[in-house]
Amino acid sequence: MKNIDEMLVKLYGEKKLSEQQERYAKAEKAFEELFGRTDNLMIFSASGRTEVGGNHTDHNRGKVLAAAVGLDVIAFVAPTDDGIITVKSEGFPQDSVDTADLAIKEEDKNTSAALIRGVADGLKKDGFNIGGFKAYTTSNVLKGSGISSSAAFEVLIGTILSHLYNNGKVTAVKIAQIAQYAENAHFGKPSGLMDQMASSVGGFIEIDFADTANPVIDAISYNFAESGHSLCIVDTKGSHANLTPEYAAIPVEMKSVAQFFGKNELRDITHEQLWENVAEVRKACGDRAVSRAFHFFDENERVDREADALRNGNLDAFLNEVKASGNSSFKYLQNIFATVDPKEQGVVLGLYTAERILNGRGACRVHGGGFAGTIQAFVPNDLLDKFVSEMEHLFGEGSCYNLYIRPVGGTKVM
């Protein structure tokens, strides 16, 4: 078991080794109880992600800074020759998808079966081989956590099919693109590509989506564990029910500004064009759309500055940009609470509490899609215990996660 222990340390860090050994042993036992023992059992993992910069820019071909984290979904898998993909995820009903029928099914929208079918469909459309397998999965990527459980699941399925039927030759970028197709077309959620890309590629990455077919990915070597700070995600426990229209409105409004200029996405116009025509754009698209467009342009520039600061080891400059990103999301992107339920503002309270504890040090911002869910904070280590205690006093035990940045994304563990 030495080899798998080395891989577990790589994926989760030395401190989590015994915890992950127990988790993997429990998952293997669950697989055997469901499907029986097999000689060709394989293990796969796909990570959650944290968005560090570039809040709501990817769907308009913008720039993002993201990282794979040590919260993941794992699968114990055995191939089958019947063309049926059977997946039992801990705590959820079993899914069964026939790879002979990969048509989009309206009745399966917003289900894990739709994601499985969508990934298989995307791979087949792109000329890759697909086939059946049986799998037991377990995840510690909380749904609605802003760490993107759906992207991790999609990338996991793509990684499994890559290794089982394509000799592991489907690239991480291609798996991410196929995962996005599955979520958009089969699952029915108009997501961008950042979640899937960060989960699939791994490590700290700056991604430029100017050409979505060939995104530019730059790896950044930086270890927060050596910076005197910890990266924390706080789950504010907000409900994500009925929020799809709120999320969907952001890319629609941003694109409406681009369409005013005869373009499809904001990446095809400039900040200067918008400013020169702002009075007419306000009349045509509305003030919120204009405000969100300004956020897009400013956030793209911030991502470059954040990435450069990390590459140069300038933590103070990086933290200042993180604060600016949070400020822009709050004021201009306006994804801190949902207009359909203004009484629920857990993210606002989380940010207030974080700023109160940090008192000018570190940084905090909304994390992920927003409206409900999580905040992100870079916490000086001498404040970490207080930060965790205060956040869990507000949102409950286990609501504050100290994240490990893992160097790989979707991967075959053993």
Side-chain angles (χ1 to χ4, degrees):
M1 296 295 289
K2 180 181 178 182
N3 288 341
I4 191 172
D5 285 351
E6 291 175 354
M7 188 63 172
L8 295 182
V9 170
K10 183 177 182 180
L11 295 179
Y12 308 104
E14 187 75 43
K15 294 179 180 179
K16 296 289 185 179
L17 177 58
S18 61
E19 175 185 320
Q20 292 299 329
Q21 287 172 329
E22 183 178 343
R23 179 186 180 215
Y24 274 65
K26 182 180 177 183
E28 182 176 12
K29 181 179 180 182
F31 176 93
E32 291 176 352
E33 289 175 349
L34 280 167
F35 303 115
R37 289 180 176 271
T38 178
D39 293 331
N40 56 355
L41 189 63
M42 287 171 273
I43 312 170
F44 296 89
S45 163
S47 68
R49 66 97 179 106
T50 182
E51 169 204 281
V52 181
N55 198 212
H56 278 287
T57 57
D58 58 326
H59 45 60
N60 269 258
R61 301 191 0 257
K63 299 179 181 182
V64 299
L65 181 65
V69 300
L71 300 177
D72 67 345
V73 54
I74 63 172
F76 280 73
V77 178
T80 63
D81 57 8
D82 57 5
I84 306 295
I85 297 175
T86 302
V87 178
K88 175 66 173 76
S89 297
E90 183 181 21
F92 295 92
Q94 182 168 294
D95 291 310
S96 183
V97 171
D98 189 343
T99 57
D101 178 14
L102 298 178
I104 296 172
K105 300 184 183 300
E106 291 299 319
E107 65 272 19
D108 278 357
K109 289 285 179 75
N110 296 299
T111 68
S112 53
L115 296 177
I116 297 167
R117 185 177 293 108
V119 172
D121 182 32
L123 283 165
K124 186 175 181 180
K125 278 183 165 66
D126 278 4
F128 294 103
N129 300 319
I130 58 173
F133 62 83
K134 49 191 178 183
Y136 176 83
T137 81
T138 181
S139 173
N140 57 14
V141 184
L142 299 179
K143 284 181 175 269
S145 65
I147 304 175
S148 198
S149 57
S150 61
F153 184 77
E154 296 152 13
V155 168
L156 180 74
I157 299 300
T159 302
I160 292 169
L161 289 170
S162 173
H163 283 274
L164 292 187
Y165 296 105
N166 297 276
N167 297 313
K169 300 299 184 183
V170 187
T171 67
V173 170
K174 176 58 68 176
I175 289 173
Q177 292 168 333
I178 288 169
Q180 184 199 22
Y181 164 77
E183 188 154 327
N184 291 355
H186 284 256
F187 189 80
K189 182 179 177 181
S191 71
L193 186 57
M194 187 270 285
D195 293 352
Q196 291 83 0
M197 195 69 74
S199 176
S200 187
V201 174
F204 269 108
I205 51 173
E206 182 183 14
I207 314 170
D208 187 341
F209 290 114
D211 179 359
T212 53
N214 299 285
V216 177
I217 303 169
D218 288 326
I220 300 171
S221 179
Y222 190 88
N223 187 347
F224 277 104
E226 298 177 356
S227 71
H229 288 68
S230 295
L231 173 57
C232 292
I233 297 294
V234 181
D235 183 0
T236 67
K237 306 297 177 69
S239 171
H240 283 69
N242 303 316
L243 290 184
T244 295
E246 297 274 4
Y247 296 125
I250 294 177
V252 168
E253 290 182 10
M254 287 184 176
K255 289 177 182 180
S256 74
V257 173
Q259 289 159 5
F260 176 89
F261 296 93
K263 303 296 183 180
N264 292 322
E265 286 102 13
L266 286 175
R267 193 60 182 271
D268 293 320
I269 68 170
T270 66
H271 185 286
E272 289 72 23
Q273 281 179 285
L274 175 55
W275 182 246
E276 289 170 0
N277 297 275
V278 68
E280 292 80 8
V281 181
R282 286 181 65 196
K283 293 176 184 177
C285 305
D287 286 346
R288 190 172 71 170
V290 173
S291 177
R292 286 173 165 174
F294 280 135
H295 164 83
F296 171 88
F297 294 119
D298 292 347
E299 192 77 345
N300 272 351
E301 294 178 3
R302 267 189 294 271
V303 166
D304 284 338
R305 293 195 295 268
E306 286 174 337
D308 286 343
L310 289 180
R311 291 186 185 102
N312 295 325
N314 190 340
L315 186 66
D316 288 341
F318 167 76
L319 293 174
N320 285 335
E321 297 297 341
V322 172
K323 292 175 185 176
S325 175
N327 182 56
S328 181
S329 292
F330 207 140
K331 289 181 179 178
Y332 310 124
L333 181 61
Q334 299 175 30
N335 68 331
I336 306 301
F337 64 87
T339 57
V340 296
D341 188 10
K343 290 184 178 181
E344 184 176 295
Q345 297 196 18
V347 172
V348 174
L349 293 180
L351 291 170
Y352 172 84
T353 304
E355 289 185 349
R356 179 173 173 271
I357 297 166
L358 295 173
N359 192 27
R361 302 171 64 194
C364 64
R365 65 193 280 273
V366 65
H367 181 247
F371 300 112
T374 59
I375 68 168
Q376 178 187 73
F378 297 92
V379 182
N381 288 338
D382 62 294
L383 293 177
L384 182 59
D385 289 344
K386 180 180 180 182
F387 186 88
V388 173
S389 176
E390 292 289 331
M391 285 299 177
E392 297 197 343
H393 171 71
L394 180 60
F395 296 116
E397 185 177 353
S399 59
C400 186
Y401 301 88
N402 185 359
L403 296 185
Y404 169 80
I405 304 301
R406 73 185 231 175
V408 294
T411 188
K412 182 179 179 181
V413 179
M414 186 176 177

